[in-house]
Amino acid sequence: MPDLTHGDDAAAVNALRSAVMRLSRRLKHQRVDESLSPTEMSVLGTLARCGSATPGELARKEHVQPPSMTRIVALLEAKGLVRLEPHPEDRRQKVVTQTDKAETMLEESRRRRNAWLAGLVEALDEDEWAKLREAAPVLEKLAQI
């Protein structure tokens, strides 16, 4: 394993962090619905990727406290983006499911963000684009760890 605290490897980690954060901030500005917070969008994205979940499961996946997730779910429900259903095995709990409205909004958001990112990619040469294509699965793996 490389020494990620010194030298070229440390510089690469620093450059990666900085670039990912700047790109992420710019992507966040490409939202379709400006009334949703980044956290609310993230919860909808988690539901789209992972399927229905309890508020507790969502809190763990989103790294927030359960009371915060309860508030977020209530806001999303009020906007018609999620619905709460009885848990099939535990009547004390609810299951959060995204609505068709949320799915449509997420699809449009992805389309808009992908188009914006594709515009940036056009500025790359073939070698840079090939390297970025190869790096995408590695970046996805980092995001999942």
Side-chain angles (χ1 to χ4, degrees):
M1 184 70 182
D3 179 3
L4 301 177
T5 60
H6 297 90
D8 290 344
D9 289 333
V13 167
N14 187 57
L16 178 61
R17 177 200 47 79
S18 178
V20 167
M21 292 199 54
R22 285 193 325 271
L23 191 58
S24 175
R25 276 195 301 272
R26 292 179 66 196
L27 270 168
K28 285 178 186 176
H29 290 293
Q30 304 301 313
R31 291 185 299 178
V32 170
D33 187 338
E34 293 292 327
S35 71
L36 294 179
S37 72
T39 303
E40 290 168 326
M41 285 294 292
S42 182
V43 169
L44 291 177
T46 296
L47 288 170
R49 273 189 318 281
C50 302
S52 300
T54 66
E57 291 166 339
L58 284 172
R60 281 188 295 283
K61 289 177 183 182
E62 292 293 314
H63 305 283
V64 299
Q65 295 299 314
S68 296
M69 185 55 66
T70 299
R71 286 189 296 277
I72 293 165
V73 167
L75 289 169
L76 291 171
E77 183 181 30
K79 294 175 183 178
L81 298 171
V82 300
R83 66 181 171 277
L84 291 170
E85 301 169 335
H87 192 284
E89 298 160 7
D90 185 349
R91 293 172 40 137
R92 298 168 296 166
Q93 293 196 57
K94 298 284 185 186
V95 175
V96 182
T97 304
Q98 75 173 7
T99 63
D100 290 342
K101 179 180 176 182
E103 186 175 339
T104 300
M105 189 206 55
L106 284 172
E107 286 174 10
E108 175 59 21
S109 181
R110 280 188 213 105
R111 187 205 58 74
R112 182 174 176 177
R113 291 175 189 204
N114 286 348
W116 177 82
L117 197 51
L120 292 181
V121 167
E122 289 177 359
L124 302 177
D125 64 34
E126 283 298 319
D127 186 51
E128 290 169 326
W129 176 227
K131 288 176 184 174
L132 190 55
R133 278 195 318 268
E134 288 179 22
V138 177
L139 292 170
E140 180 62 31
K141 183 177 179 178
L142 284 176
Q144 299 301 321
I145 295 174

